[in-house]
Every structure is written in C-alpha cells, then in structure tokens.
Amino acid sequence: MQEPPITPELVARHGLTEEEYDRILKALGREPTFTELGIFSASWNEHCSYKSSKPVLKLFPTSGEDILIEAGEENAGVVDIGDGLVVCFKVESHNHPSAVEPFQGAATGVGGILRDIFTMGARPIALLDSLRFGPLTEPRNRYLLHGVVSGISFYGNCMGVPTVGGEVYFDEAYQGNPLVNVLCVGIARRKEIVRARASGTGNPVYYVGSATGRDGLGGASFASRELTEESERDRPAVQVGDPFTEKLLLEACLELFKTGHVVAIQDMGAAGLTCSTAEMAARGGCGIEIDVEKVPRREPGMIPYEVLLSESQERMLLVIQRGREEAVETILRRWDLHAVAIGRVTDDGLVRVKDCGRVVAEIPARALVDEAPVYVREEREPPYLRETRNLDLRCLEEPQDYQGILIRLLSSPTLASKQWVFRQYDHMVRTNTVVLPGSDAGVVRIKGTDKALALTIDGNGRYSYLDPYEGGKIAVAEAARNLVCSGARPLAITNCLNFGNPEKPEIFWQFRRCVEGMAEACRRFNTPVTGGNVSFYNEGPEGAVYPTPVVGMVGLIEELGRMAPITAWFKNEGDLIILLGETQEALGGSEYLKEIHGRVAGLPPQLDLEREASLQQACLEAIRAGIIHSAHDCSEGGLAIALAECCICGPGHGRGAHIDLFAPEIRTDALLFGESPSRIVLSLEAQHLPQLKGIAEGRGIPLSLLGQVGGDHFSLEMSASGLYIHLPISELKGIWSGAIERCLRI
Amino acid sequence: MKFGVIVFPGSNCDHDCYHVIRHVMGMPVEFVWHKETHLSGFDCLILPGGFSYGDYLRTGAIARFSPVMRAVEDFAEAGGPVLGICNGFQILLEAGLLPGAMLRNRSLSFICQDVYLCLENPHIPFTLLGHSSQVLRMPIAHGEGNYYADPQTLAELEANGQVVFRYCTAEGEKTDGANPNGSLHHIAGICNREGNVLGIMPHPERCCEGILGNEDGKLIFESILLTR
C-alpha cells in the first residue's frame, strides 16, 4: 500500500475536524505524515481522549482515605483494604463491537478489562457484567444475547476468573445498540503495584504477546461513531480474542513483576501500539523510540500506519530495566510468549517511530495525550421530558387480577431469573466465591485473611431517561444498598457511562445531569470514583439508547468467619418478614408501568440521600449484630417482586411466606409494584425483633412487620382491599427461573 | 504423603487443588511444570481443570503430548494414584490412560452448577471412605463433559466396576433430567481397571470447605490419604 498525500478529505475521513487539524500543525510545526495523521486520529478520538467528557468527569469525587491511586493516574484506581492488600477494579464497555459481532465483541471486552487489571500487578479475582438488549421477541436480539453470553463465557472461563454477578435488562431502547459493560476486580499486595509510566533513559521497550494483524484496525474510531445500517461493514474493526494467549500473559506478567525488573507496563488496548507508547511516555515525562519493523506480524505487507493502529488483542508493551533483558526473556520464553525488544526510553519527550531506519513519525508524547482537544459541549434539556413528566395516575386504571400481574412481571425477562446466563459462566473457579450469582451482590473471600469483598454492578437506564440526575443518584444508592444487604461496607465505585452522541445538546445535557447525580450520591456514601469508562455514540438507526450509567461497586466484609454471609433468600420457617423503610406512591418509571400499561413515563422515585444513608447504616448494624437471616434490596418490580424473590431466588426448592400488607393511603398497584427506593426486606427470628426495632428507631428508619416465612405457598393478602394472591412456590419458581429460556425457544 | 499438581499452559484449577491439599488437608504439595520429564518423590498426582492450550482443538488433545505425560504414564503404570479433574480427566482420555472420549454438552453450552453424584464404586483409593450408592453434591463447570464410548467399552467399564460416579438426583435416582450433559450411562467419573487412575468431570476441590457451603469433595482427598 502506498502512503496517500494529506488532503482535507483524508483528514475528514480520519474523523478530525479542521480545528483539530490546525492543532496538529501547531503541535508538530509542520504538516503530519500519513502515519502521524493516523496516530493523531487514534489518540484524539472520543474513545481514547475523553475530549467531550473530561470537563464533566471532574465533578466526581476521586479521593478518600482508602484510595491509594486516584482515577486517571493509572489504568485503574487502587483501594487499600488493609493486611497489606489493595483492590483495583474498573469497568469497560464493548458496546459497538458487540452490536456487529456479539461473540468476539463481548469476548474481547472481557480480555481488555482483564489486561487493565493485571497490568497493575493485581491478580484478577472476579468479573461482573452489565448487559442490555432489545426485547427477546426480536430474533436479532436473541442472536445478540446468545452471542454475547457465549463470548463472555468463552473468554472468562478460559482465563479462570470467576464471573460472580451482573445484570441483564431488555428494553426497546437498546434495539440495534446493545450495551456490554464488563467489570474486573483484582487483588495485589500493596508493595507490588506496577505503574504504567516509562522512565530511565536507555531502558529497553519490549513487545510481548500475540503478533500484530490487521484486525481491529481503527476500532477506537469505530467506537466513536454512531451505529448505522452500514455498521455491519465495520465487522473487520472488531478484534478476535485469544484467551489462551492472554492466560499465558497473565501468569507470565505476574511472575515477571515479582522479579522487580519491570519498570512499566501498558496493555495495547484501544488504538493499539500508538496509544500505549504515547501514554507510557507522557505519564513518565519522557520519550519512547520504537522500530516498527521489529514488531511481530501476522501478515506480510503491513505498512507502519497499520502496525501502529492495529487493535490485535493480547499484546503488552513493557519497559524493563537495562541489563535485565536475559532474565525477563527467560521467563517469557518459559510461557511460550513472543518477546521482542522494539525500542527504548529516551529523554526528549517524543514518540519516535522508525521503519527500516527512516523516521515515519515523530510526535511530542504530551501532544497526543495531555494536549488532546477538550470540548465544552453545548447542552439543552430534551423536549421529551415535558411530556414524560406529566403522568396522571388517576388516568391509570387499577388492574383487577393482581395474581396474573405478579406472574406476568415475574416472567418478564428483565425481572426473571438470570440463571440461564450465569450457568454459562464459571462462577466458582479459584474457590473463593462465597455467595454465588443470584443474590444482591457476589461475595468473594480473600484467602489468608478473614476478609471478603462484596461486588455488584447496577444501573437503571429508564430512570435516567426520565430524570438523569435522579437516575444517577439511584444507580449509586442501589449499588451501595446491594452491598450493605450482603453485610459489606461500600468502599468505592467505578462506572461506565453509556450515552448517545455528545455532539447533540440534549444528549450532553443528560450526561452532565447524570454525572452530577452520581457525584452527589458518591460524596454522601463516601464512595469515591476510582475510574471507569465513557461510551458515547450509542445510537442505532432508531435513536440513542437510554442514558445508562452503570455503577460497579466494591464493598468490604471485615469478619467473614464470625458470621455467615448474608444472602437475599428466606432461610427458616417461622422467621418474621420485615420491611425497613417506607413505601410511597411511586409508579413513575416502574417496570409495572412499562410491562403492564406499556408506558415509560412519570418521574423516577425520588431518593433522599440522608434517609438512604440511615437505612443502610441500620441494615449494616443489624447484620453485624448477627440477628439477620436474609436481606434483599427492594428495587425493580417493587415490594411484591422483592418478596417473591426472597421466596424463590435461593438454591433448592424455595420457601413459602404469608404476607399481610396494610397501607390504605396508597393505591394497591403502587403498594405492590411501585419502586420507592430506600427499602430493604429482612427476615429474622421473632426474638430479635425488639433489637432490630431499637436499631431502626435509633436511625429514624420506619419498620413494618409484613408477615412470616413458612409453608409452600406465596400468600399475599390485603385485608383492606380484599386482595389475595395465593400461588404454590414450585409454580412461582418455575415461572421465574425458566422465563428467559422460554423466550429463547420461540 | 506428597502431592504433585501438574500445570499445563492454560490450567486454571491448579491453584485450587494446591490450596485444598496444602491448606485444607495439611499435606505437602508442589506444582509440576508440564515440561518436566521426571517425577520423583510424589505419592499422588493431580491433573487439574482448566483450558490446556485453550482447548482450541479437542479438549486435552495437545496437552497429552506435553513432556510430563510420559512420566505420568510411568507413574500410573507403577500403581501410583492419579486423579484427573475436568480438563485433567479429558487429558487422561486423550492420553489413553482412561478409555472413551468427551463430546460437547448436549445443550452445546458451558454449564456451571451443582450436580448430584451417585458413588458406584467405593473400593478404589479415591473413594474408600464412601459407601455404595452414597449421594454427593459437587459443582461441574465444563463445555465438554458428555462422556462417550463404544458399546463394548461401556460394557467392559460396567462389568469391571470402572464407573465410579454417575449423575443422579438429590435422592439418588439416575434420571435423564439429572444428567447435565448427556453422558452415556450418566457417567461422571471412571477409573482404569486397576483403580489407581480416576477421571472425574465434577470439581471435588471446589467443595472442601464449610465457608463455600459444601464439603462433599473432601471424601475423595481424605480417601487418598488413607492409602499412604
């Protein structure tokens, strides 16, 4: 391939604006070469540079007493958990690749986030996924669900990292643009954290891992555009995953780090060799020179432009200490890995690329990373909100057959059991998973200590669509509530912000409001943001996805040995069923409104952060007192669904319950299926009720006795309205646990 | 009694086996790299689960050529106990240390869940502490655990008591519904004729501690310790 001359058309095809091209001219003091143009395009696209989101992300709190490395300093933030141990975790999106090639798209999403974690010197101990698809009635969405789940299963299982939790939603808003967000959590010794900043002039730069091919060429630029009918043609921009090579890389890297010979390491992720070289140099305030002809290749005839921009997977860039080449190569050879010295660290601050002695690119590293353009985007409140806000409940007819509605909701794929999904993931490997997927949070013990981590990933796009600020707040609050229900103290969050095209003022307004809501909640719960990912341009031919903030949160359980891990499901016959918190008439944005009345309207439930914090403290205090047998967050689907889940979501046959509700001031449908936040369903022995009451009163949290665990039926009465739901547990469990499989059998 | 856990490239249950033997059973254990050609000083070998060589070809088909496998064969021939778990079982099949082969699960997808096993042969070194028809609960995690062998081989396995574990219900019934992957004769684990080589698809090393909610897997490790 001949290098074409630089023309305005070529610049435009690289997704660079005229102003951005002027910036390039200024940074270089001359016209860029074709290779340099490609490098700038790759480094300055939205996916790599965060040029639209940066000013807004500054709103997040990023520091805290447990935070050792803050967001943005390295590949992932680092949180201290005592005993000389630290946790690093981060969530990444792979939405666009999964939309056109679900299996490889999702698989390489898992691979990418795993590399982000183990390049910090941490061993990955858990994965969680947050997935969103269009309705399963569409064949395309069934294909996407199948492909994404098997892709995650293929990569995560082979790596031997358990997938311990996650969430799956189905909604028309994700038709044509599914969301695939993957969270990885790793553990390291505090002293062994590895940095991604190059240093030491003359230190060799090594290329390790798979050879470079033309796959994934321009993947990051692809992710910085809207999806269109023609996106299928971008399939070659999707990379192909090789989890076996990655497993070798993981083990080899962790072994290498222990030698102390590694100065810095960076995964060649989005924008490949270009981004990793520039970022390592810019972070270290030095330069890097590489010989592109030394890069191992998968196919002949590749020009420097292609080698530099390829997004072939399972590749690492290492800076090692001069004089330790032999020791490093020995370890890598033992793991059958390609390791080639392709360059060295310099002191001139330049990223210099040579090809057979000829300089094909020479760019100041800072220009690529720190001096990337930043935009303050225009914003405007979207007009649809004027309509959706006006929900008059009086116009909404109350249903007659509540038993039928309970069944319909439990069998809707969003509320139904995700067993079909989790069963395809190895969630037990490493023998640390104390609470398996299916409870409010996954719990992973830390061998050699009495500690465990509770992990969750959460979001609700519909709430954020109806009110991005409240939606952002609720996403953080609900994640924290999930951890508290598992007996853990929330430590910190990572997030994945999935939005439409930020150049549209309405989308950017949603983005900023959402971040503001999340930031406020993070400050209140003292859970700083350790990093994350922004995914813009999530728009299919039919428009943007719901603004979907996804929160990954990590909590700490200090004394695992002293108490059994708390799970969501009812345990013992005769236990009392208690609701902590208060039910309001909150039907806006509810699953009930959507599924039964076909409406996405109203305001999402309003969350009072002070009340939420008190509720969580009360719950944690009760759990720590050892009097709680089960705790379950009451969220999507409302109280009736939460209670039914407590009966059927555990292992085995499930437990029956007799429930008597009394709330004459609230509509029956709102009482059963409204989604007021700040509520938790507990079960405990009757003798401990006074103690629980004391704890709740101390925090000013209302408490109500709902009924008792027992029998083999789910019985729910409302004496006031004559309502009576009476269903065998076995039937309820069958409906709920087989729902997704039934949808796929169509 | 000293254990060796063989590490193939792509093994990922090696650490779990090591942990159980060292920290739960309190026995000495070492990792053995697949390029080793000599095995000395070991009283029992474990081929752990995982995805050796990515399982990109038939499971275990490449690992059987690892240099260490010659030494494993010699060790087994001399009567040493060899336990293959999941991918380890698949490697033993490919190496010909056990008869038969693995097909993809009949659902064509990976399955990770608890299953029930009926102990059919409590007389080999790995099951001495059990009793006939005892029901154990253990997790499986595999995509290719659908055991297949030709009718003659199956008949021999049955006649010689080489079927050690079968999938069953919690009550011990061998129903089709209790068979998670379509294995012939509900086979979950088999041994060689001498009884010193056991291959098992479920993961006993994942259920040896109270904190994990299940200790049924200890039966296998504790039985091996009795043979020293």
Side-chain angles (χ1 to χ4, degrees):
Chain A
M1 179 176 167
Q2 279 295 311
E3 295 199 355
I6 310 291
T7 60
E9 292 74 42
L10 188 71
V11 172
R13 261 196 288 151
H14 277 78
L16 292 161
T17 63
E18 270 175 49
E19 298 81 59
E20 285 170 344
Y21 185 68
D22 286 343
R23 245 181 131 94
I24 295 175
L25 293 178
K26 213 172 286 169
L28 292 177
R30 59 176 164 80
E31 187 178 85
T33 63
F34 176 57
T35 307
E36 286 169 339
L37 188 69
I39 294 175
F40 273 106
S41 157
S43 305
W44 284 4
N45 67 43
E46 188 64 54
H47 190 81
C48 292
S49 73
Y50 292 81
K51 59 188 171 191
S52 301
S53 57
K54 241 183 205 167
V56 177
L57 296 178
K58 289 206 177 100
L59 296 170
F60 282 136
T62 55
S63 57
E65 51 183 282
D66 303 322
I67 306 291
L68 293 177
I69 296 181
E70 288 187 21
E73 282 182 53
E74 294 288 337
N75 287 322
V78 172
V79 183
D80 192 356
I81 54 165
D83 291 332
L85 296 173
V86 298
V87 177
C88 5
F89 60 106
K90 191 179 175 187
V91 61
E92 270 273 0
S93 65
H94 241 212
N95 304 338
H96 282 70
S98 304
V100 294
E101 214 310 284
F103 183 91
Q104 290 296 348
T108 52
V110 175
I113 193 64
L114 280 164
R115 286 195 297 281
D116 270 350
I117 297 305
F118 73 75
T119 49
M120 309 253 337
R123 178 171 283 279
I125 55 157
L127 290 164
L128 294 91
D129 322 284
S130 169
L131 311 178
R132 282 166 178 76
F133 302 95
L136 286 178
T137 43
E138 292 279 327
R140 173 83 189 166
N141 298 328
R142 298 200 289 273
Y143 159 75
L144 290 174
L145 173 68
H146 264 292
V148 166
V149 170
S150 25
I152 291 171
S153 159
F154 163 72
Y155 211 107
N157 294 351
C158 186
M159 287 294 290
V161 180
T163 300
V164 303
E167 52 166 16
V168 192
Y169 281 78
F170 302 91
D171 197 296
E172 287 79 0
Y174 304 101
Q175 179 81 36
N177 197 131
L179 301 185
V180 176
N181 295 179
V182 186
L183 164 65
C184 181
V185 183
I187 286 201
R189 304 216 156 269
R190 187 175 173 163
K191 288 186 213 138
E192 291 172 5
I193 281 292
V194 182
R195 297 294 187 134
R197 47 193 68 205
S199 65
T201 305
N203 275 338
V205 174
Y206 269 76
Y207 171 111
V208 180
S210 295
T212 297
R214 287 193 170 103
D215 57 327
L217 207 54
S221 316
F222 161 55
S224 305
R225 286 197 297 273
E226 292 172 24
L227 289 167
T228 62
E229 308 280 354
E230 282 79 47
S231 293
E232 275 288 317
R233 274 199 245 135
D234 282 326
R235 271 167 88 106
V238 180
Q239 312 88 335
V240 177
D242 174 2
F244 173 58
T245 298
E246 176 127 323
K247 169 74 173 161
L248 300 182
L249 272 175
L250 160 69
E251 300 300 337
C253 284
L254 293 181
E255 194 178 325
L256 268 183
F257 298 155
K258 288 199 192 306
T259 64
H261 300 334
V262 178
V263 176
I265 181 167
Q266 171 94 29
D267 160 41
M268 291 182 224
L273 192 49
T274 302
C275 238
S276 49
T277 313
E279 281 178 17
M280 283 225 287
R283 283 205 190 102
C286 54
I288 290 182
E289 178 178 303
I290 59 171
D291 274 327
V292 77
E293 84 258 24
K294 290 188 179 152
V295 173
R297 303 175 191 196
R298 218 173 273 170
E299 48 199 306
M302 290 177 73
I303 59 170
Y305 178 96
E306 293 172 306
V307 175
L308 289 167
L309 299 187
S310 158
E311 291 187 9
S312 291
Q313 298 285 291
E314 293 89 21
R315 303 178 303 158
M316 297 284 184
L317 202 63
L318 273 74
V319 176
I320 65 163
Q321 284 184 352
R322 194 155 38 147
R324 305 291 183 192
E325 291 87 345
E326 189 48 42
V328 167
E329 286 178 25
T330 304
I331 290 178
L332 292 169
R333 212 176 304 126
R334 201 170 91 90
W335 288 99
D336 297 327
L337 288 165
H338 260 303
V340 187
I342 61 163
R344 60 189 179 88
V345 177
T346 63
D347 59 2
D348 57 12
L350 298 173
V351 172
R352 187 178 303 110
V353 183
K354 287 183 173 172
D355 182 38
C356 306
R358 182 173 63 104
V359 174
V360 293
E362 194 171 58
I363 309 173
R366 290 184 53 89
L368 290 171
V369 182
D370 304 323
E371 288 155 21
V374 172
Y375 293 113
V376 178
R377 300 283 187 195
E378 199 186 323
E379 46 184 274
R380 193 183 316 127
E381 188 179 305
Y384 73 80
L385 284 172
R386 277 194 295 277
E387 280 168 45
T388 56
R389 255 179 220 144
N390 296 321
L391 171 69
D392 186 355
L393 284 184
R394 284 167 306 184
C395 303
L396 207 66
E397 207 176 317
E398 282 208 54
Q400 299 300 309
D401 174 19
Y402 277 104
Q403 184 156 307
I405 288 187
L406 179 73
I407 290 175
R408 265 175 73 187
L409 286 175
L410 277 177
S411 53
S412 79
T414 293
L415 294 179
S417 162
K418 305 302 181 300
Q419 181 67 23
W420 180 87
V421 176
F422 291 130
R423 211 179 51 185
Q424 300 187 47
Y425 305 148
D426 191 338
H427 41 258
M428 301 177 185
V429 63
R430 300 198 69 72
T431 61
N432 293 325
T433 319
V434 171
V435 176
L436 307 179
S439 191
D440 285 24
V443 178
V444 179
R445 67 158 166 182
I446 303 169
K447 287 188 185 122
T449 72
D450 198 21
K451 290 177 174 160
L453 295 177
L455 312 170
T456 185
I457 189 163
D458 249 302
N460 183 318
R462 196 184 306 138
Y463 291 171
S464 300
Y465 172 72
L466 296 171
D467 184 342
Y469 182 80
E470 285 298 322
K473 255 166 71 184
I474 292 171
V476 175
E478 196 182 319
R481 208 182 308 131
N482 284 337
L483 299 187
V484 161
C485 284
S486 307
R489 174 173 67 90
L491 290 178
I493 78 160
T494 173
N495 56 58
C496 197
L497 306 170
N498 306 276
F499 289 78
N501 180 348
E503 297 157 45
K504 297 180 185 166
E506 291 79 12
I507 300 285
F508 204 74
W509 183 87
Q510 291 175 332
F511 176 68
R512 189 180 53 80
R513 290 295 289 159
C514 192
V515 170
E516 284 172 354
M518 292 172 80
E520 194 193 341
C522 284
R523 276 190 293 270
R524 182 58 195 88
F525 299 122
N526 199 16
T527 50
V529 177
T530 62
N533 175 232
V534 180
S535 174
F536 281 131
Y537 300 97
N538 288 292
E539 303 207 7
E542 282 148 56
V545 299
Y546 283 157
T548 311
V550 169
V551 174
M553 195 181 274
V554 172
L556 185 63
I557 298 174
E558 299 268 2
E559 296 173 296
L560 188 62
R562 201 170 58 82
M563 52 186 197
I566 303 298
T567 46
W569 49 89
F570 293 145
K571 307 289 182 310
N572 303 326
E573 293 268 321
D575 276 358
L576 299 183
I577 302 169
I578 303 293
L579 179 70
L580 272 191
E582 202 173 11
T583 303
Q584 297 144 355
E585 202 165 78
L587 280 175
S590 64
E591 196 63 30
Y592 161 79
L593 204 59
K594 162 83 174 26
E595 271 301 312
I596 307 300
H597 296 278
R599 296 194 57 185
V600 175
L603 284 173
Q606 304 298 295
L607 179 87
D608 178 333
L609 285 173
E610 290 312 314
R611 176 176 284 262
E612 177 75 39
S614 304
L615 170 92
Q616 293 186 14
Q617 281 154 5
C619 180
L620 205 50
E621 194 181 331
I623 288 176
R624 284 182 177 155
I627 58 174
I628 301 299
H629 286 159
S630 74
H632 185 29
D633 160 38
C634 184
S635 56
E636 281 98 356
L639 184 58
I641 296 296
L643 289 165
E645 284 169 348
C646 290
C647 290
I648 57 181
C649 76
H653 301 300
R655 289 260 174 223
H658 301 279
I659 294 143
D660 200 343
L661 297 180
F662 179 75
E665 70 287 1
I666 298 180
R667 283 168 64 118
T668 304
D669 52 359
L671 173 63
L672 293 179
F673 305 117
E675 300 180 3
S676 348
S678 312
R679 292 183 298 169
I680 293 173
V681 176
L682 301 173
S683 71
L684 78 174
E685 257 179 73
Q687 56 159 330
H688 295 307
L689 184 58
Q691 197 182 344
L692 179 65
K693 274 186 172 159
I695 291 171
E697 268 166 33
R699 304 277 183 187
I701 293 298
L703 171 156
S704 36
L705 175 61
L706 302 184
Q708 210 168 7
V709 178
D712 50 14
H713 278 72
F714 179 75
S715 306
L716 192 153
E717 285 185 63
M718 269 180 73
S719 342
S721 69
L723 167 95
Y724 187 52
I725 293 175
H726 189 68
L727 283 160
I729 288 296
S730 56
E731 188 184 327
L732 216 54
K733 187 152 181 146
I735 289 167
W736 176 76
S737 50
I740 289 192
E741 235 172 316
R742 282 193 297 274
C743 291
L744 292 173
R745 240 184 268 137
I746 299 169
Chain B
M1 188 168 191
K2 189 170 167 188
F3 288 76
V5 175
I6 315 273
V7 183
F8 298 94
S11 292
N12 64 30
C13 302
D14 43 351
H15 287 267
D16 302 351
C17 292
Y18 184 98
H19 168 75
V20 164
I21 292 159
R22 175 87 188 273
H23 299 116
V24 181
M25 299 295 149
M27 286 288 136
V29 54
E30 268 177 32
F31 289 120
V32 180
W33 186 237
H34 73 116
K35 286 177 184 164
E36 294 290 328
T37 48
H38 295 284
L39 294 166
S40 56
F42 294 109
D43 304 297
C44 178
L45 295 179
I46 298 181
L47 278 66
F51 289 72
S52 55
Y53 294 94
D55 281 349
Y56 292 163
L57 279 182
R58 220 169 48 246
T59 52
I62 299 181
R64 66 159 288 209
F65 293 109
S66 277
V68 76
M69 286 308 292
R70 289 295 294 277
V72 172
E73 280 164 33
D74 293 344
F75 182 86
E77 222 160 87
V82 176
L83 171 62
I85 302 168
C86 198
N87 195 227
F89 183 10
Q90 293 162 341
I91 296 168
L92 291 175
L93 292 173
E94 289 290 333
L97 282 167
L98 292 171
M102 286 296 172
L103 305 176
R104 286 185 72 186
N105 295 345
R106 61 179 160 187
S107 66
L108 299 182
S109 51
F110 188 95
I111 303 173
C112 179
Q113 65 177 48
D114 274 352
V115 297
Y116 292 96
L117 303 175
C118 179
L119 176 55
E120 303 278 320
N121 181 347
H123 310 295
I124 62 168
F126 307 95
T127 56
L128 284 173
L129 283 170
H131 56 80
S132 194
S133 298
Q134 184 174 349
V135 175
L136 301 171
R137 181 164 61 95
M138 269 186 216
I140 55 165
H142 60 244
E144 290 168 56
N146 181 353
Y147 181 80
Y148 177 84
D150 59 63
Q152 193 190 337
T153 307
L154 279 172
E156 279 172 27
L157 285 174
E158 295 289 358
N160 300 328
Q162 286 173 252
V163 177
V164 183
F165 293 105
R166 270 187 242 272
Y167 299 111
C168 66
T169 63
E171 292 74 34
E173 292 162 44
K174 289 144 210 162
T175 63
D176 188 56
N179 183 342
N181 49 32
S183 278
L184 290 180
H185 292 209
H186 299 258
I187 284 173
I190 55 170
C191 64
N192 61 352
R193 227 171 153 148
E194 294 73 25
N196 66 316
V197 178
L198 172 68
I200 176 172
M201 281 317 288
H203 287 271
E205 82 282 12
R206 295 188 181 186
C207 47
C208 290
E209 295 171 84
I211 187 77
L212 300 175
N214 183 359
E215 297 181 81
D216 283 6
K218 275 168 104 170
L219 182 137
I220 290 184
F221 297 101
E222 284 173 346
S223 294
I224 303 171
L225 291 184
L226 281 184
T227 64
R228 79 184 115 166

